[in-house]
Amino acid sequence: MTARATAAPAAAPRAGVPQGTASHGTAPNAEATGRRVEDVLDRLARRGDGETTAAAEELVSVLMDFYGAGLARIMHHVGTGDDGPRPALLRDELVTSLLVLHDLHPEDTATRIDRALDSVRRQHAAQVTEFDPGTGALRLRAGDSGGCGCPSTAEGAHQTVEAAVACYAPEVTSVQWETAGDGPEPALLQISRRPPTGAGAP
């Protein structure tokens, strides 16, 4: 696998993440970093120097292998229990991105999707209605987050949720939102007079 292909999961578009270099004091972002790597490799390719481009991709690949091996060793040392630093690491957005990128994350896709939704639930509640592992298609239903219901507000909430999903579960290829009329109809409550109370009983 080439360095360009390896960086692809981190280079996937993410809503709300600005292009370019992160400012000093801001934690690095896996998607933004991946886009920067892709941009540098593209600029080298446009210069027409195939040897330089190949060397740059090899350099990225070597560094990826090195950091991936280090992450694997860290995950081995923190163990598998619920105590210690492991739970905090799995809740961390940046650490999660790196573990998924190197195929080291111990949780399955569905669990990581739940983590993503939990990370933004206080501001933007959403719940999974369906996930197809074969295609990567995810269907979500928005919960009541106390917003004004304006289309722009809903779109911003959707982007925030989708950004979290992209971070925690980059194998999700598409996100569809159910509207109010997409769900099943609620059961009809039948109201009738109180049934007889044993009028014929002795």
Side-chain angles (χ1 to χ4, degrees):
M1 181 180 291
T2 66
R4 188 182 295 270
T6 304
R14 176 177 175 184
V17 177
Q19 300 282 346
T21 307
S23 59
H24 293 291
T26 302
N29 175 273
E31 287 85 359
T33 301
R35 284 196 293 268
R36 290 184 61 201
V37 171
E38 288 285 302
D39 180 62
V40 171
L41 294 176
D42 285 341
R43 280 188 281 143
L44 287 173
R46 285 196 295 269
R47 296 180 65 175
D49 188 347
E51 185 175 347
T52 301
T53 302
E57 292 192 351
E58 182 180 358
L59 174 61
V60 174
S61 181
V62 169
L63 290 175
M64 291 279 293
D65 290 343
F66 177 70
Y67 290 126
L71 286 169
R73 188 73 58 86
I74 290 171
M75 293 303 293
H76 171 74
H77 286 307
V78 298
T80 58
D82 293 333
D83 55 345
R86 185 184 180 90
L89 289 174
L90 298 184
R91 288 193 302 268
D92 186 277
E93 182 175 323
L94 178 58
V95 174
T96 290
S97 296
L98 291 172
L99 293 177
V100 173
L101 179 62
H102 290 279
D103 197 23
L104 294 171
H105 205 290
E107 297 176 337
D108 60 17
T109 304
T111 302
R112 287 185 279 109
I113 290 173
D114 288 339
R115 281 193 182 275
L117 300 183
D118 285 341
S119 72
V120 296
R121 180 158 284 133
R122 288 187 177 181
Q123 294 78 27
H124 308 295
Q127 61 182 6
V128 176
T129 60
E130 183 182 0
F131 174 62
D132 184 350
T135 63
L138 174 66
R139 289 181 65 87
L140 296 174
R141 179 183 295 122
D144 183 11
S145 57
C148 66
C150 303
S152 59
T153 303
E155 182 179 357
H158 290 180
Q159 289 179 350
T160 300
V161 173
E162 290 170 16
V165 170
C167 169
Y168 283 88
E171 57 268 60
V172 172
T173 58
S174 64
V175 177
Q176 296 179 336
W177 289 88
E178 291 187 354
T179 61
D182 287 340
E185 291 293 331
L188 180 63
L189 179 61
Q190 298 287 349
I191 301 177
S192 61
R193 291 184 297 175
R194 184 176 178 180
T197 57

